[in-house]
Amino acid sequence: MTTPVSPDPDRRPGPVPEPDRSGSATGDGRGTFTTAVPARLDRLPWSRWHWMIVIGLGTVWILDGLEVTIVGNVAGRLAEEGSGLDITAAQVTGTAAALYVAGACSGALFFGWLTDRYGRKKLFMITLAVYLAATAMTALSTESWWFFLFRFLTGFGIGGEYAAINSAIDELIPSYHRGRVDLVINGSYWLGAIGGALLSIVMLDTDIFPLDVGWRLSFALGVVLGLVILLVRRHVPESPRWQLIHGHGEEAERLVGSVEKEIEKEKGRSLPEPAGRITVHQRGSIGFGVITRTVFARYPRRAVLGLALFIGQAFLYNAITFGFGVILSIFYGVPTGRTGYYFAVIAAGNFVGPLLLGKLFDTVGRRIMISSTYLLSGLLLFVTAWLFGRGSLTATTLTVCWCVVLFFASTGASSAYLTVSEIFPMETRAMAIAFFYALGTAAGGISGPLVFADLTGSGDVGGTVLAFCIGAALMCAGGLVAVFLAVDAERRSLEDIAAPLSSEPA
């Protein structure tokens, strides 16, 4: 039987197929076969195998947070004479930041297409290698053009990571845990941000490291940690869901069977029967035309939702984080070498949000949680802008306000990645993540640093208030869109949320 496709793409599909009591696949010899692999993956209890997936794939966001935060915190030091680079702080937080995001957008689209075509595993190994190589070369920068080039290439690698990693995680994690796991993994970026903030304090201390050495060692440390993650990632398997539609059905069956045996041995009990089967018609590669028609013609409401969520969170974060150190230094006289302490506090708020609220996305539901986190963060940033404009805040109280705003904003931003990775058919998943990430981030992440660097760096209170209000308004807009268009995807299989194109005759 084939999982039916609902005529309304945002409505739950029809009845679930009859349970597969054998757990095995059957085929007709013409590239069409029936399998219970998706249902078998979704009914697995949490195990050591799942922790291996989380560590091997999710921990790279810690590296990303570490590296991006270091760049933001060393901007002032790089601009000083004797740093080894002829560059200004505005070029680091403006031009270099915009190039990093431009690289991420380009990398997401390029590697996203390759991920859907050649598999999750091949690409999440390649993208990490690109990211690490570019980061290492950044540490060796002696000219500003060299620094700019490898900031772009570092972003190119991390953009590919977003597409390859999020698609793999959602296809390997059981539906009961998918929401919270995805949110916490994406939120772990801020663990790296905490480390980067604290590390920069040490690395920028010229009593410990020379002016032109400390910032280079900061990047080098990230490379070392990344190599450790690369070793762990070797053991993460290919997505069985991807294998099913690319002519590797038997490999998918064997892989899931071995995982089931491992988990049964770990838990000391037999697993329950899978909930259903799906018939897959192998289609070969999926072209951009099919992907575009699927995303925008079949799922137009979901396309609007994805854009609203990504644009909102991109602008809010650019409104705060790219001008963070500059705001503290200009308006409150905080030395550049001490801003790391403040940033560590708001980074902690960013991580605690998904950690504490993530479970509610699987219980209370996606629609309520996505809309509420977006709206709350936007409204709280409006309040922060008002207090800042009145001169009612100190460096400490402003940081507290940011911490509260980002507690909700980080959860909402993480849910944007979760949303676009689960509401479109499997064959388009990586490209859908790449497309919405690239378009939303290009709107907020390329223009954001360029706009907000001027607004927050001018020393004008009104300009900084405007920057806050732009981010807050777009975040609220994303929350309102989610109220009406969010998909109730909690605890549902990916195939139920959006039937695979391969479940339809080619």
Side-chain angles (χ1 to χ4, degrees), residues 50-376:
H50 293 108
W51 277 117
M52 182 267 293
I53 300 296
V54 169
I55 294 172
L57 297 183
T59 47
V60 74
W61 300 148
I62 297 177
L63 278 183
D64 186 28
L66 177 76
E67 194 260 358
V68 171
T69 305
I70 286 173
V71 172
N73 286 332
V74 303
R77 182 54 46 85
L78 288 174
E80 295 178 11
E81 186 177 353
S83 70
L85 279 180
D86 182 15
I87 197 170
T88 67
Q91 286 179 314
V92 176
T93 59
T95 305
L99 285 171
Y100 175 85
V101 175
C105 295
S106 304
L109 293 171
F110 177 72
F111 288 120
W113 177 71
L114 293 178
T115 297
D116 279 335
R117 187 178 182 89
Y118 295 109
R120 307 342 186 185
K121 183 176 179 66
K122 286 187 180 71
L123 270 298
F124 63 58
M125 296 296 288
I126 292 172
T127 53
L128 181 57
V130 170
Y131 174 63
L132 293 178
T135 300
M137 296 304 289
T138 301
L140 300 176
S141 299
T142 56
E143 301 288 342
S144 57
W145 67 265
W146 180 286
F147 184 80
F148 293 147
L149 171 63
F150 285 102
R151 288 306 294 155
F152 176 86
L153 292 177
T154 302
F156 194 75
I158 200 62
E161 284 280 292
Y162 277 111
I165 298 293
N166 279 286
S167 56
I169 287 172
D170 280 0
E171 290 171 6
L172 292 169
I173 298 298
S175 57
Y176 186 86
H177 301 284
R178 188 175 61 242
R180 74 195 76 177
V181 170
D182 196 292
L183 261 67
V184 172
I185 284 176
N186 280 286
S188 68
Y189 170 97
W190 295 100
L191 285 178
I194 296 172
L198 298 177
L199 181 65
S200 66
I201 295 171
V202 177
M203 294 300 179
L204 294 179
D205 189 341
T206 53
D207 291 333
I208 302 176
F209 297 105
L211 183 65
D212 62 340
V213 172
W215 66 269
R216 299 181 190 278
L217 292 178
S218 300
F219 287 109
L221 178 60
V223 174
V224 173
L225 295 176
L227 290 173
V228 174
I229 294 174
L230 193 62
L231 293 175
V232 176
R233 189 172 285 188
R234 293 183 307 160
H235 303 290
V236 176
E238 179 58 84
S239 164
R241 285 178 158 103
W242 182 88
Q243 290 176 321
L244 289 178
I245 63 171
H246 287 83
H248 306 290
E250 292 183 0
E251 294 177 25
E253 292 283 339
R254 286 196 296 270
L255 171 59
V256 175
S258 66
V259 173
E260 289 172 329
K261 290 179 181 178
E262 178 184 330
I263 293 177
E264 285 182 334
K265 181 178 180 181
E266 176 187 337
K267 302 298 181 182
R269 56 182 171 81
S270 298
L271 296 172
E273 297 294 336
R277 299 184 294 177
I278 185 171
T279 296
V280 176
H281 307 269
Q282 295 177 7
R283 300 171 61 100
S285 62
I286 305 296
F288 281 109
V290 174
I291 293 173
T292 301
R293 288 194 299 273
T294 299
V295 173
F296 292 101
R298 178 179 289 188
Y299 298 102
R301 291 160 56 89
R302 299 183 183 189
V304 172
L305 172 67
L307 287 174
L309 296 183
F310 268 97
I311 291 174
Q313 61 88 24
F315 268 94
L316 179 136
Y317 271 94
N318 278 290
I320 293 178
T321 57
F322 275 105
F324 172 84
V326 175
I327 292 171
L328 291 178
S329 298
I330 291 179
F331 293 102
Y332 301 106
V334 177
T336 57
R338 311 295 290 179
T339 58
Y341 290 112
Y342 294 88
F343 194 85
V345 173
I346 67 168
N350 272 285
F351 177 67
V352 172
L355 184 65
L356 297 183
L357 300 180
K359 184 177 181 179
L360 299 179
F361 282 76
D362 288 321
T363 54
V364 175
R366 304 285 202 264
R367 185 184 304 271
I368 292 176
M369 292 306 301
I370 294 173
S371 59
S372 62
T373 52
Y374 267 72
L375 287 169
L376 278 171

